[in-house]
Amino acid sequence: MTDRYEGQRRALIGVMQQRGIRDLNVLRAFDTIHRHEFIPESMRHQAYQDAPVPIGFQQTASQPSLQGLYMQVLDLKPTHKVLEVGTGCGFQTAVLAQLVDRVYSVERIRELAVRARERLDELRISNVAILVGDGTIGWSRYAPYDAILVAAGGPEVPRPLMEQLAEGGRMLIPVGSRTMQRLMLVERKGDAFEQREVTECTFVPLLGRFGWSGEGS
Ligand code: SAH
């Protein structure tokens, strides 16, 4: 659909391609879902830059090319059931909903979760469930998951998330200090978990029982 941001959106997709995102389903989903609709009005002019954008509550919407990398590395399939930790503004949630069967997303800040739910409802995206809570303990009710995306950086890989990964399932999670992390790919092979580093990154802190301790967690 044509809108005033169409040119900027196409340009962003070009930048994502230059930065290594080649999965056409992923690129198409970033075209279908309009990032500006998830970004607060005052920040909307930055919506199509390949950069994190403040969304309030000291949180940021993640960098699009990094989100695209997550989805490409996880090799998502239309049959997949996916867990997202850190709904934030809900943009990534909406993109994921185009690529997989069901998205379960956990967000610790109620107001962000409520806003994300509203946006998704406006867009009539109906294959997403959102829970307000601590995503470091996962969402056991719907486990196991074919893929888990953690959108905040923690000191270690939370054990419950490993346990909620399906056989052959993959998880991407930033692990390191509060200010600098390595994006780790964790793959379940039976009772074993293979880990490898994908890239360096900087995410907001993962707060919670198996994350950093912090206000409200
Ligand atoms: N994908 C989101 C990323 C938002 S930033 C987007 O692009 O908008 C990371 C989010 O993780 C923040 O909203 C933060 O509140 C949330 N978060 C941090 N620790 C969490 C936890 N333990 N459980 C659930 N959400 C958490």
Side-chain angles (χ1 to χ4, degrees):
M1 221 216 298
T2 309
D3 64 289
R4 61 184 287 230
Y5 292 98
E6 195 180 355
Q8 291 182 42
R9 192 162 49 246
R10 290 282 149 82
L12 171 62
I13 288 167
V15 171
M16 291 174 68
Q17 285 175 300
Q18 280 164 21
R19 296 190 170 164
I21 311 306
R22 308 201 191 292
D23 186 324
L24 289 180
N25 292 328
V26 170
L27 293 168
R28 212 171 290 133
F30 273 84
D31 191 27
T32 305
I33 304 300
H34 298 173
R35 193 172 187 237
H36 72 271
E37 292 172 356
F38 292 83
I39 302 290
E41 194 102 38
S42 61
M43 286 292 151
R44 235 165 239 185
H45 58 287
Q46 292 181 22
Y48 293 100
Q49 290 173 16
D50 189 30
V53 178
I55 54 171
F57 309 92
Q58 297 175 305
Q59 306 303 323
T60 55
S62 311
Q63 183 182 0
S65 61
L66 196 50
Q67 295 179 322
L69 181 71
Y70 263 69
M71 296 176 199
Q72 181 164 285
V73 170
L74 290 171
D75 194 19
L76 301 174
K77 305 272 187 259
T79 53
H80 277 177
K81 189 164 61 161
V82 166
L83 175 68
E84 178 188 51
V85 176
T87 318
C89 70
F91 169 69
Q92 176 173 282
T93 323
V95 175
L96 285 169
Q98 310 303 302
L99 297 169
V100 303
D101 185 39
R102 283 204 71 80
V103 182
Y104 297 91
S105 188
V106 186
E107 170 56 55
R108 60 182 285 280
I109 300 175
R110 177 174 299 276
E111 208 155 338
L112 285 174
V114 168
R115 282 186 203 169
R117 178 83 265 167
E118 284 170 4
R119 290 291 99 75
L120 294 166
D121 288 347
E122 280 163 18
L123 296 172
R124 300 186 197 288
I125 293 173
S126 55
N127 57 339
V128 172
I130 298 181
L131 174 74
V132 178
D134 176 6
T136 68
I137 58 172
W139 192 348
S140 59
R141 183 164 174 200
Y142 299 105
Y145 300 98
D146 302 297
I148 300 179
L149 296 84
V150 184
E156 60 185 18
V157 183
R159 189 78 218 170
L161 296 184
M162 293 168 92
E163 285 162 1
Q164 290 174 28
L165 210 48
E167 168 61 28
R170 292 178 171 186
M171 161 165 49
L172 277 170
I173 174 167
V175 178
S177 71
R178 276 177 178 259
T179 51
M180 182 86 179
Q181 305 95 32
R182 295 186 298 178
L183 182 60
M184 301 303 295
L185 174 66
V186 181
E187 203 166 350
R188 181 169 203 158
K189 301 267 171 71
D191 287 334
F193 294 89
E194 288 177 3
Q195 292 197 28
R196 74 172 170 88
E197 180 183 339
V198 177
T199 184
E200 289 195 339
C201 55
T202 304
F203 278 80
V204 296
L206 179 69
L207 302 176
R209 185 156 157 220
F210 294 89
W212 300 104
S213 58
E215 185 224 304
S217 65

